[in-house]
Amino acid sequence: MKAYNPVPPNKIADHVHRILVLENYHVTNPFTLPLFANGSPTLLFLTTKGTIDNNATGHLTLFGQTVFPEILTIKDNFTIIAYFFKPFSLFSLFGISPLELTDRPVDLNLLPLPKTSELQEKLLNAATIDNMISLLNDYIADLILETKADWRIIKYATNEIGKNTSKESLVLVQKDLHVTERTFQRMFEKTIGIAPNLYRRICQFNSAFEQLNRRKYYKLSDIAFENGYADQSHYIRAFKEFTN
């Protein structure tokens, strides 16, 4: 299997966190890919349809916030292209309440968006992966041009929480925005799809998970303490919660 990360072009970089491409042209047994909380709404393109926890997928699937882990299963040769959006982009680009998509991915073709069915047809007939990525880049760039939502405040809030995943960060951001705790909670749930403290915990888990993947630690307790967990047991409980 081949995996790589094309760099999002400038025209979509304010809304796209990263791009992931997976290619597997030698599938002999069902391929499974764990899907777990990462704080990023995601647009997933599959050249071959699969299943998510035994529910059939389309070729284009839009994910909101994922809290409960799921499994994507594909039985044939495939290419996967995943666009991981900034957390505020679901509301601003797709015009859908993020709460509706939390743990409920949807076929992109079911949304009332322009040129979506045309996009899928072009992607399935594209000659190369570079062509597919170019089509997706252009599609997202068009959505950005059409957006009327003001996402600067929630962008600031999610950036600050992502940089400082301690509980104190929520209070600091709330004070910076000069809003009450309840107003902050409502704004966050409306535009992100989950409560601010849950988003903070997901960011904390992802920071620890990336450190684990990079093997940048001597002991597991090092990861726990460096990412703000009370102890190793606290980190393990969070790991089980978000990855099952």
Side-chain angles (χ1 to χ4, degrees):
M1 184 175 71
K2 184 178 179 181
Y4 53 99
N5 295 98
V7 177
N10 289 336
K11 64 183 179 180
I12 64 171
D14 280 342
H15 288 267
V16 176
H17 171 57
R18 69 186 180 98
I19 303 170
L20 171 66
V21 177
L22 297 176
E23 300 175 71
N24 193 340
Y25 301 133
H26 304 285
V27 176
T28 54
N29 296 310
F31 172 84
T32 58
L33 180 69
L35 308 174
F36 51 78
N38 58 21
S40 296
T42 305
L43 178 59
L44 193 69
F45 171 64
L46 302 171
T47 53
T48 301
K49 293 182 180 180
T51 60
I52 297 176
D53 289 353
N54 297 318
N55 296 311
T57 69
H59 291 289
L60 282 165
T61 304
L62 183 64
F63 292 79
Q65 291 290 336
T66 297
V67 180
F68 298 106
E70 299 175 310
I71 298 291
L72 170 65
T73 303
I74 306 175
K75 297 181 179 180
D76 298 303
N77 296 345
F78 65 83
T79 295
I80 294 175
I81 304 177
Y83 277 65
F84 296 92
F85 293 102
K86 305 287 179 69
F88 54 84
S89 295
L90 194 65
F91 180 73
S92 61
L93 295 186
F94 295 94
I96 186 171
S97 168
L99 284 168
E100 294 181 24
L101 263 61
T102 297
D103 284 321
R104 290 192 293 269
V106 64
D107 188 323
L108 188 68
N109 291 293
L110 297 178
L111 300 181
L113 295 167
K115 301 182 180 179
T116 301
S117 58
E118 178 183 332
L119 169 68
Q120 177 168 301
E121 184 177 353
K122 287 181 177 179
L123 286 168
L124 292 173
N125 288 288
T128 67
I129 292 176
D130 284 344
N131 292 153
M132 296 175 189
I133 291 172
S134 179
L135 287 166
L136 287 163
N137 288 344
D138 289 345
Y139 175 75
I140 294 167
D142 286 345
L143 293 179
I144 292 172
L145 289 175
E146 294 173 8
T147 184
K148 295 179 175 61
D150 186 351
W151 39 266
R152 289 171 296 179
I153 291 177
I154 200 65
K155 176 185 178 181
Y156 170 79
T158 53
N159 282 348
E160 292 302 304
I161 294 169
K163 289 187 293 186
N164 175 11
T165 59
S166 69
K167 291 182 179 179
E168 290 75 18
S169 67
L170 302 181
V171 178
L172 293 173
V173 170
Q174 178 191 319
K175 287 182 177 178
D176 286 346
L177 297 178
H178 303 288
V179 295
T180 65
E181 181 180 357
R182 182 60 191 141
T183 297
F184 183 52
Q185 179 107 2
R186 284 200 301 266
M187 175 186 70
F188 211 93
E189 290 180 350
K190 176 183 176 182
T191 53
I192 304 298
I194 53 177
N197 189 53
L198 179 54
Y199 177 76
R200 177 195 67 80
R201 292 180 58 239
I202 289 172
C203 290
Q204 182 184 35
F205 157 73
N206 268 276
S207 175
F209 184 75
E210 289 175 5
Q211 186 176 349
L212 182 70
N213 272 343
R214 295 194 306 268
R215 303 185 184 278
K216 297 285 187 178
Y217 64 96
Y218 177 66
K219 296 180 295 184
L220 198 59
S221 57
D222 294 342
I223 297 178
F225 292 130
E226 289 173 21
N227 288 281
Y229 291 101
D231 50 36
Q232 181 173 311
S233 296
H234 185 200
Y235 170 53
I236 291 172
R237 286 197 300 273
F239 193 96
K240 288 181 177 179
E241 175 186 356
F242 290 123
T243 68
N244 202 29

